[in-house]
């Protein structure tokens, strides 16, 4: 099996060297880029399985690069952000990044996040994959007029509009639908969506819920379906017929 190919995009040569050596020793193939221009050049030359992207590069807007990647090269993205850049982390997650690590960081933490994101990306069924067998997870979860396609990781609206979901949003919605009318803690949902425990000040799950509410609720400010349960977490509210 070919090792997963990771692209590290950071203007700091010491960080590029550190991550190239550390991730390489952990069994990954690593390429590095110092800016957006060299990143796009490498993406045009080879297949990349994961991008580790610094958001604070002098020559480039990391958030803009992250946004462009979602449409031009939809590989999973882990953001590197400054410790006090909470707004950038939230915006990055909102536009589709899969996770973030704050600087300064422990390489072991980044390695753990890398493994979790790659594992979740690898769970996405490939085109032409066989149908789900009897007794395993269903192909669709139907609720309140909506359908969640478990293979394509897409939502189908009551009007049959198709909405693609980021990996994290899919895992959050799937977890809630498999346990309807039951509050699930933010820590549990973080583990399901990102494969890691909840950190202090971590709003990644709140961002996922906010995005899902934009799709599912008539008024996201007054949610009926995706409810916040104070001091417990989040819950999807359905009656016995699967309606909100």
């Amino acid at each position: 099996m070919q090792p997963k190919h990771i692209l590290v995009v950071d203007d700091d040569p010491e960080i590029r060297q550190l991550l190239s050596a550390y991730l390489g020793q952990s069994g990954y193939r690593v390429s590095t880029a110092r800016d957006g221009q060299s990143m796009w050049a490498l993406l045009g030359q080879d297949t990349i399985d994961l991008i580790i992207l610094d958001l604070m590069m002098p020559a480039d807007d990391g958030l803009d690069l992250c946004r462009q990647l979602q449409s031009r090269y939809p590989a999973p993205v882990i953001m590197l952000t400054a410790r006090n850049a909470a707004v950038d982390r939230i915006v990055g997650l909102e536009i589709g990044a899969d996770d973030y690590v704050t600087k300064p960081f422990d390489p072991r933490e980044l390695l753990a996040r890398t493994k979790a994101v790659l594992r979740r990306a690898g769970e996405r069924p490939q085109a032409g994959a066989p149908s789900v067998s009897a007794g395993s997870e269903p192909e669709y979860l139907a609720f309140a007029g909506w359908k969640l396609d478990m293979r394509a990781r897409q939502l189908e609206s009551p009007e049959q509009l198709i909405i693609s979901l980021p990996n994290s949003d899919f895992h959050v919605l799937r977890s809630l639908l498999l346990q309807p009318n039951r509050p699930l803690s933010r820590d549990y949902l973080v583990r399901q969506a990102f494969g890691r425990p909840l950190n202090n000040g971590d709003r990644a799950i709140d961002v996922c819920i906010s995005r899902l509410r934009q799709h599912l609720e008539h008024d996201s400010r007054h949610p009926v379906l995706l409810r916040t349960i104070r001091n417990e977490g989040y819950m999807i509210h359905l009656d016995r017929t699967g309606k909100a």
Side-chain angles (χ1 to χ4, degrees), residues 22-64:
Y22 191 81
L23 294 172
Q25 292 170 0
S26 301
Y28 296 105
R29 179 185 170 201
V30 184
S31 296
T32 64
R34 67 179 183 274
D35 54 25
Q37 182 178 355
S38 51
M39 178 191 78
W40 291 118
L42 285 165
L43 291 174
Q45 297 169 6
D46 210 339
T47 299
I48 302 296
D49 298 296
L50 173 75
I51 300 167
I52 297 174
L53 175 65
D54 182 19
L55 295 191
M56 300 294 290
M57 294 183 291
D60 294 285
D61 182 340
L63 288 172
D64 188 50

Side-chain angles (χ1 to χ4, degrees), residues 182-189 227-235:
R182 175 182 175 182
L184 301 182
S185 71
R186 294 171 73 247
D187 181 68
Y188 175 82
L189 291 172
R227 301 187 179 184
T228 301
I229 308 301
R230 189 173 182 180
N231 298 324
E232 294 190 61
Y234 293 104
M235 179 183 79

Side-chain angles (χ1 to χ4, degrees), residues 93 100 168-169 171-173 175-176 184-196 198 201-213 233-234:
L93 291 169
Y100 68 87
S168 54
D169 294 11
H171 283 290
V172 169
L173 183 56
S175 298
L176 292 166
L184 301 182
S185 71
R186 294 171 73 247
D187 181 68
Y188 175 82
L189 291 172
V190 164
R191 291 177 186 275
Q192 296 301 306
F194 298 100
R196 60 172 173 79
L198 181 70
D202 192 337
R203 292 191 56 197
I205 286 302
D206 307 301
V207 172
C208 293
I209 293 292
S210 176
R211 278 195 302 249
L212 290 169
R213 282 174 172 164
Y234 293 104

Side-chain angles (χ1 to χ4, degrees), residues 134-148:
S136 63
E137 194 167 71
E139 282 192 60
Y140 295 92
L141 292 176
F143 64 102
W146 294 80
K147 287 201 301 185
L148 179 64

